[in-house]
Amino acid sequence: MLAVAILLLLLVTKPWERTTSERFSQTGIVATLPAPDALYEGNAWKPTAGADGYALALENDRYALYIRPDTTQFAVLDKASGYRWTSNPAKEELAAETVKGQLMANLQSPFILTHVRTQGADQTVRETLNNQTAGMQTAMIRHPDGLQIEYAFPAKQLKFVMQYELTEKGLKVKVPAAGIREEGPFAMFTLDVLPYFGAAPAKGDGYVFVPDGPGGLIRFDQEHASLSRGYSHQVYGQEVTNEENWTRTGERREDIAYPVFGLKKGDHAFLAVMTKGEDSANVSAMAPGLKSSFYNVFSSQIYREEYLYRMSKLASPSKAVQKERLNLDRELEYRFLSGSDANYVGMAGAYRSYLQETGRLQEALKPVEHVPLYLKIMGGNYEKAYGRIRYVAATTFEQAGEIVGALQGKGIASIKALFYGWENEGDYNMEKRFPIEPALGGESAVKTFMDQMKERGVPVSFSEDFLWVDSHSSFSGKTDAIRGIDGTAYVDEGWYIAKPAYTAAAAAETVDKLKKLGVAGIHFSGIGEMLLNDYEPTGIQTREYAKTVYDGLLKYTREGLGSASVNQGDAYVLGQTDYIDGLPSESSYDFMIDETVPFYPMVLHGFVPYTFGDGNLRDDEDAEFLRAIEYGALPSFFVTHDDSRKLKDTPSNFLYSSRFDKWERRITEEYGKFDSLSKLYAQKITGHEKLSDQRYATTYEDGTRVIVDYGTKDFTIEKGAEQ
Amino acid sequence: MKKWFSLLLVFMAVLTALPGTAMAKLPYMTAYYDPNQLSWFRIQPIYSPAGAFSADFGEPADLHVADDDRVYVADKKKDRIAVLSRYGKLLRIIGDAEGSGKLSGPEGVFVTPGNEVYVADSGNQRIAVFDENGRFRREYQKPDTPLLGSEHFVPVKLVVDRRGVMYIELNSSYQGLLRLNPKGEFMGYFGANKADQSMLNWLKKLVLNKEQMSKEKGALPKPITNVALDRDGFLYTATAGGEGKGAIRKLNAGGVDGFKNKTLENGHGIVDVAIDPEGFLYNVDLDSMRINIYDRSGQAMFEFGDVDKETQQYGVLGFPTGIGIDSQHAIWISDSATNTVHKYVRTAFGSSVLQALGLYADGKYEESKPYWEAVYARNDMYNGTFQGLGKVYLHEDRNDEALSYMKAAFDTDGYSKAFWQIRMDWLQRHFVALVTSLIALLLAVYFGRRAVRAYLVRHPFPVSWKDPLAYIRNLGYVLIHPYEGFYKIKEARIPAWITLFLLCLVIGIKLCRVYLTGFLFHPVDLSEVNLVKELALFALPWVTWIIANYLVCSIKDGEGRFREVIQGSVYALSPYVFFSVPTILLSNIASLDEAVIIHALNVVMTVWLLAMFIVMTQVIHNFEFLETLKNSAISVFTILTIWLFGFIVFGLSYNLYDFFYELYKEVNIH
């Protein structure tokens, strides 16, 4: 009897199993977040304004910041050019403005604070506060570091603090979490920071730059028909767990991959980098007619989100606003550009130097003799057949070796291979990866394959997803799944998303096992393309935390295997990824965006190798190939040994056509074209321009120009000075 | 179907995170319809968005693409017609000048091949006609005829045929299209929809008396939503709201619907229909929220695009109001939510696949080949390619390839043709051998039997084998002599293992029927057969029959014991055993031309089975014939009752299970 009881107890508690946190701590990945920003201490500063209403507040060699004590509007003087950037349109500019009331007040405010009630009915109704709100009190402190302004709204018992600092490149704006006070029945919802900074009237020369796809321009001189909303999207994508984000039928779009926006006005431009708390902020751009008659672009900081929740499966969902505030420091850095730098090329350069200065971008690539071909090989996946799960093999390890051999035989000198579908039963039971699928040859075949590849100089990474976990596994949703915004473990059609610590632990264990087999790296899916808050009842684990863990994991993988790579390449992985697959290359087809430019490629080229869509899976064969050339991407193909039709009933049925011998010739041909640009592999892109409707020129460090013509479907290379 | 697809979309949204799911970057999905499998499958884009053009529209209510590819847009709010070039540039405004030509809230526009512009000038209750330079020419008001009575003449859509006869849809009129001749004289109504004959109406007619009926609201035909005309003069009406029934009708001059009120996939919320030069149909549908392409018979082929009332993206429609196709196959859609006209152009892949399908529909299989090959190079999952190339190979007499392609596409017709050819060739080559081997087989059987008998006489089976063998042989005997056979069974004490053995035999035959029946007579992917379900569905009626028969007959003074009922019911299945063997064999050598033999065999088998069960009941329970019929009928009724009962119990306990499951989940993961 006692024995049975003990056995039962053992079975329930499972002492031989380690908890996720134990497994995570074993990886040695550190997940400590930086210390929060401090508020300035000191005496109140009460300046007297000059004749124009402004008082000098901060100054360095290059810039001076003047503030209006009455409205807290400010101006930044660029001493070199004499140009003044202002937080709001000037009085004269507002003379022709047609909006009134609240919108007019917003136009004159350096912030727009949206709040909700936490008591009574209508807790989702949003109200706004700005610097024109009656009863607002401001308190300024001047500090060696900068200027601090505290805004207090006694009627709402709300307070927050903004800090301005001047740097060598421009202006830093901070909203420290420590400065927020919610003492009454009102709670902060969003805070628009400097909503009209540098706002430009319609029809002028210039554009707004938004991080749509590879980069999007909204031109001032372009007619924009029928805009009902502006551009307003969350950096790194919306919260997946919030049902409200899925209620619209449309909105399939590219998630914002880099926290940057900018504006060009005549000969002057700014680039704003969201340096802290960027993952919880929207980039918002408005065109005339939406909120005012100006073009403006700014960051809207998210403190709470509205979400849908259901009391039961049958009840219709209700709206609510999350209780706990996203308590993150927010910081933006505005960098000012003028003259020949005042355009999107200059903006890309400014962002690249920001990344380099802060150590977020890895070292420049070494020049190569030949560009690498990124060869993705699909091993296979599972299907349900004859009432059970069956693995369908499309390429065994042996066949993969033959494919690589065939390509090398055709003269492709540099290949980097990514192997997909190697896990036991493919994507069925995501937790179970080992032993490596026997239908592909199992572990002995992997070893042979790896030895062979090492000999041939082809590094092979294994691709795997450590974020999504299916319910066929023994995964515990209760302890290890991300909690959605409604507080419950998030599950979608039987799929959970693992908490970052679980992901890291599972991945680190996989790294250790793959190391023994000689695998040269992991290509992560999910990391670098999806970021979530974890709404634990004990407190929100923010996206900030997830970023830190993922960063540690990428580092662990590089140290363990030699290489880590990701899809999409959201900016937080740039320091730790050896390659980005599927870098955003296309716009989201917004009405508002007039032109798509290679901003992000310009930032990355010469530092992180990247590819766009696979050569055999393109929607538009010619245009996508030419875009890859124009944007400096590398060639990639996704192949199988057998007909991909074999996979039609498996989750890998997106491989419309991948049989290697069908594509062999095309791969060789296309590789030749990409390889004609091999000299440019390690160079920065220094220029990009539209020559005509169909022709675009990309310029590299050494002066080489690549001119792509979408009309003739061809490209030409003009050698630079050094050749 | 819609729900299923949206679920699929959700599922695919999940898959975006899985390894390397290279999602198309367009803001919408594209799928193709497989009529052989009755479902939608994902495919790469057929059309891509090419812009959304605005000419300062107030509310674009209709759109017509003229033969010269100019796009005419009726702007209801701005009271005018805007003419756009094929590049979306505004060329001209019609009907905004003060005077007799001034339009008021126009909702429909049609341009004749001679470039005369007919406008359904709804606000002015007339048809206004302009020449190609936009000068007002003439108008048609409500025709002067007593037949129209007090009805308001509010034209909303119209087409004009080659003779200048106007077909006008009046505002929410259920009488069909009003016909006016070029002189403006009333020529009667045309092409009204059929009134909806629902089950409810039929029940009402059955139950209610005349007086009550007269108080019921009459079942009125649905009003036509939109109308279009093709190059051959056929008139197409779009009608929303009938679950796709008659959503697009193809009317000839006599008003007869070539599609026979066919139910259209994705047609419940149809807005408008357009026809391209190949005769393919395009609709935009607010229910499935897709733009759909159909072949000439109204069979769905592709769906793409999306509808979202808050759209701010090219390619995603806000509230579509009209659709048109230009000579380059570009699709134009007017959208009154975004006040734009959207344009979609074919992708290279879309061109290949639609060219191939067009030539295929024309029967030009040879010409279609390069297009099919281009499609196949980019997608080896699209089943249409297999059907198309299968046809090509059939014409090239490459029957083996044709056979495998047709099988891949689940096209039984094509498969049958290829099979017939292959069988023919085989027979021609092997006729002598076949006949010889058949004769040899017959002789072998004949002499073999004699030899076995002679052998058995010399070396008889052990005595203990005698009874079991007799019982098993009785399965055949009972088939021909049911009465005597069943008497024998009733008298004998057949061991349970024999019954079980026979039952296993039957199940074995059932398995053979599932897995060995020829493709033509069982065109499914065998790996997707749900064997448990198949067997359960096979066994369920038989098991319930035994229970019901025993219960009923023991009440009705039947003599049979439960064991006997089971035994009898097993032996009664003997036609299933003996008929299935030739059926399965034949199904593997017959083409669809000989399908009648197989069907006949199946019918005979069913009748025979019924007869066996009745005889069995009579013999086992020792009933009279009439009594047997009566009790069998009661048994059948009992079976239905048991099923109903089981269904209810299952439903309730499932709810209970669901409740506990939810509770478990609540505790475990929330």
Side-chain angles (χ1 to χ4, degrees), chain B residues 268-332:
Chain B
H268 178 67
I270 188 169
V271 169
D272 194 8
V273 54
I275 303 94
D276 78 2
E278 279 79 45
F280 292 150
L281 303 170
Y282 298 69
N283 88 356
V284 53
D285 177 62
L286 280 173
D287 184 55
S288 61
M289 306 206 273
R290 295 273 181 273
I291 301 161
N292 302 282
I293 310 181
Y294 304 87
D295 72 6
R296 289 167 203 175
S297 66
Q299 178 66 256
M301 300 195 300
F302 299 101
E303 61 167 24
F304 63 94
D306 202 348
V307 178
D308 174 10
K309 63 181 190 302
E310 289 178 58
T311 177
Q312 291 280 283
Q313 286 170 295
Y314 298 109
V316 182
L317 303 164
F319 188 86
T321 55
I323 185 170
I325 310 291
D326 71 19
S327 62
Q328 311 294 310
H329 294 105
I331 298 177
W332 294 82

Side-chain angles (χ1 to χ4, degrees), chain B residues 149-165:
Chain B
S150 62
E151 199 179 335
H152 286 295
F153 184 74
V154 183
V156 287
K157 305 286 176 227
L158 80 167
V159 293
V160 183
D161 74 9
R162 262 173 293 193
R163 299 163 299 163
V165 174

Side-chain angles (χ1 to χ4, degrees), chain A residues 134-255:
Chain A
M136 182 193 75
Q137 293 164 358
T138 58
M140 287 194 264
I141 295 174
R142 197 153 68 151
H143 189 268
D145 290 342
L147 174 70
Q148 170 173 307
I149 308 173
E150 184 187 64
Y151 296 94
F153 299 88
K156 307 276 180 172
Q157 290 166 279
L158 284 173
K159 275 186 198 171
F160 73 94
V161 162
M162 287 178 76
Q163 295 175 338
Y164 299 108
E165 291 173 11
L166 287 180
T167 68
E168 284 307 299
K169 304 277 174 70
L171 172 72
K172 238 184 214 178
V173 188
K174 294 177 169 184
V175 186
I180 296 171
R181 291 277 175 279
E182 296 170 336
E183 285 154 349
F186 297 93
M188 280 177 79
F189 191 71
T190 59
L191 179 73
D192 295 355
V193 177
L194 306 185
Y196 290 96
F197 186 85
K203 308 253 185 258
D205 168 36
Y207 47 75
V208 164
F209 166 77
V210 289
D212 176 60
L217 303 184
I218 303 165
R219 293 196 174 274
F220 298 160
D221 54 3
Q222 206 98 155
E223 287 279 337
H224 293 101
S226 72
L227 296 176
S228 58
R229 289 174 289 132
Y231 175 95
S232 188
H233 301 285
Q234 191 172 349
V235 175
Y236 309 143
Q238 294 179 306
E239 277 301 308
V240 171
T241 64
N242 183 356
E243 200 185 329
E244 187 167 301
N245 291 334
W246 294 95
T247 46
R248 296 208 19 240
T249 54
E251 282 292 275
R252 275 163 54 91
R253 57 182 305 117
E254 300 274 351
D255 286 339

Side-chain angles (χ1 to χ4, degrees), chain A residues 638-652:
Chain A
F638 208 145
V639 298
T640 49
H641 178 269
D642 297 346
D643 256 330
S644 59
R645 190 176 171 80
K646 273 180 100 172
L647 300 170
K648 79 180 163 60
D649 297 323
T650 73
S652 296

Side-chain angles (χ1 to χ4, degrees), chain B residues 505-579:
Chain B
L505 183 69
V506 172
I507 290 170
I509 294 283
K510 168 69 191 170
L511 289 180
C512 291
R513 274 186 93 105
V514 171
Y515 288 111
L516 300 181
T517 300
F519 172 76
L520 279 176
F521 299 92
H522 194 217
V524 295
D525 184 345
L526 290 179
S527 72
E528 281 171 20
V529 170
N530 185 340
L531 198 61
V532 179
K533 197 176 125 199
E534 287 273 334
L535 287 180
L537 283 179
F538 178 68
L540 186 74
W542 186 77
V543 172
T544 30
W545 159 264
I546 292 174
I547 298 168
N549 184 280
Y550 176 70
L551 290 179
V552 169
C553 296
S554 49
I555 293 170
K556 296 281 180 184
D557 297 330
E559 287 178 2
R561 277 170 295 175
F562 191 54
R563 187 176 57 82
E564 288 168 0
V565 175
I566 295 179
Q567 274 171 16
S569 297
V570 170
Y571 278 91
L573 289 172
S574 79
Y576 187 77
V577 174
F578 291 104
F579 275 80

Side-chain angles (χ1 to χ4, degrees), chain B residues 155-300:
Chain B
V156 287
K157 305 286 176 227
L158 80 167
V159 293
V160 183
D161 74 9
R162 262 173 293 193
R163 299 163 299 163
V165 174
M166 290 160 269
Y167 296 77
I168 304 157
E169 169 60 16
L170 299 182
N171 194 13
S172 53
S173 158
Y174 57 84
Q175 284 166 302
L177 303 169
L178 185 142
R179 263 198 302 192
L180 289 184
N181 71 10
K183 288 184 208 139
E185 288 158 353
F186 180 61
M187 294 170 69
Y189 283 104
F190 179 84
N193 281 313
K194 286 205 181 86
D196 202 15
Q197 286 306 334
S198 68
M199 197 72 161
L200 194 70
N201 280 334
W202 178 79
L203 261 178
K204 274 183 195 164
K205 255 187 212 161
L206 210 69
V207 177
L208 303 183
N209 62 27
K210 221 174 216 171
E211 203 178 324
Q212 286 168 319
M213 262 321 266
S214 65
K215 280 181 195 152
E216 286 291 316
K217 231 164 82 188
L220 292 178
K222 297 205 167 55
I224 290 169
T225 318
N226 219 318
V227 56
L229 193 71
D230 77 4
R231 268 142 235 247
D232 303 325
F234 284 101
L235 210 136
Y236 297 78
T237 64
T239 305
E243 305 296 337
K245 203 160 176 50
I248 297 179
R249 294 178 309 145
K250 179 184 185 180
L251 305 176
N252 66 11
V256 175
D257 176 15
F259 290 166
K260 303 199 175 79
N261 221 30
K262 176 183 181 129
T263 300
L264 199 76
E265 279 297 320
N266 288 357
H268 178 67
I270 188 169
V271 169
D272 194 8
V273 54
I275 303 94
D276 78 2
E278 279 79 45
F280 292 150
L281 303 170
Y282 298 69
N283 88 356
V284 53
D285 177 62
L286 280 173
D287 184 55
S288 61
M289 306 206 273
R290 295 273 181 273
I291 301 161
N292 302 282
I293 310 181
Y294 304 87
D295 72 6
R296 289 167 203 175
S297 66
Q299 178 66 256

Side-chain angles (χ1 to χ4, degrees), chain A residues 256-331:
Chain A
I256 294 181
Y258 43 99
V260 168
F261 56 88
L263 185 142
K264 169 189 159 77
K265 205 155 89 167
D267 282 338
H268 302 278
F270 73 75
L271 173 85
V273 184
M274 300 155 80
T275 46
K276 280 187 191 170
E278 80 283 2
D279 43 54
S280 300
N282 284 326
V283 173
S284 293
M286 297 292 153
L290 289 167
K291 303 271 166 141
S292 71
S293 53
F294 290 89
Y295 282 98
N296 58 321
V297 60
F298 58 97
S299 77
S300 176
Q301 305 293 333
I302 301 168
Y303 286 94
R304 289 185 173 79
E305 234 184 282
E306 184 182 274
Y307 66 97
L308 288 181
Y309 71 98
R310 288 167 196 273
M311 295 298 282
S312 80
K313 277 256 154 76
L314 299 171
S316 59
S318 326
K319 282 183 180 177
V321 170
Q322 80 185 63
K323 291 277 174 290
E324 191 190 337
R325 190 174 64 229
L326 290 169
N327 217 19
L328 296 166
D329 287 330
R330 317 300 172 110
E331 183 185 274

